[in-house]
Amino acid sequence: MTNAVARSSDDKVHVDMTPMIDIVFQLLVFFALTLNVVEAEGDFRIRMPMTGGLNSDRALPPLRLELSANEGGGLQALRLNQQPLADFAELRRRMVDCVQDVKDSPLASELEVEIASDPDLRYEFMIAAITAISGDRTADGRLVPLIERIKFASQK
């Protein structure tokens, strides 16, 4: 009987963890080397509306962009400071003009656009407006920033 007990204690299986640790480190190195870091999408400096009203100490009044939606959620009208615009390309041209007007001024960093939109407007039109306001890419892929300060008007 003592022989059977001794035999069961000798039958223990010893698992060597070295190969498993090697594989884990190889996978870790593989994923670290193949990681593709891309520019964050939608990295805009956007200020949401305050609940108690808007108090601003800025020297420049904000530009107000109004987006009106039709019944299907499409873009019906696009207005910048109550002036109608034909499309987002014209909006981008107006933003470029605004930036050029104050380019050498210390107020250049204070330019701000306030966006007021219908709640039924489709998301794609809001993103197109933000893209037209915030910057443009050149032919070689460089980002040319326009206006970085964007805020949303509170819904009434």
Side-chain angles (χ1 to χ4, degrees), residues 24-118:
V24 168
F25 280 117
Q26 286 179 3
L27 286 172
L28 181 66
V29 169
F30 171 77
F31 288 121
L33 293 177
T34 59
L35 178 67
N36 186 13
V37 180
V38 295
E39 183 177 335
E41 181 179 339
D43 187 16
F44 304 112
R45 292 186 183 151
I46 297 176
R47 293 184 347 176
M48 297 305 287
M50 298 182 330
T51 57
L54 300 174
N55 296 327
S56 178
D57 303 350
R58 304 198 192 301
L60 286 176
L63 299 167
R64 183 170 173 85
L65 177 66
E66 297 173 9
L67 303 167
S68 300
N70 59 19
E71 296 161 358
L75 185 65
Q76 179 177 353
L78 180 66
R79 290 182 300 277
L80 181 65
N81 291 342
Q82 302 296 325
Q83 297 176 357
L85 301 173
D87 56 6
F88 292 112
E90 185 179 354
L91 174 62
R92 182 179 308 280
R93 286 190 297 273
R94 296 282 299 274
M95 292 299 112
V96 169
D97 291 343
C98 289
V99 170
Q100 291 297 325
D101 290 344
V102 295
K103 183 170 79 170
D104 298 328
S105 169
L107 299 175
S109 64
E110 297 293 320
L111 275 176
E112 183 174 72
V113 176
E114 179 181 28
I115 299 176
S117 69
D118 288 343

Side-chain angles (χ1 to χ4, degrees), residues 120-134:
D120 298 333
L121 185 69
R122 289 197 315 256
Y123 178 73
E124 62 193 71
F125 297 110
M126 181 63 75
I127 292 301
I130 292 172
T131 302
I133 292 167
S134 63

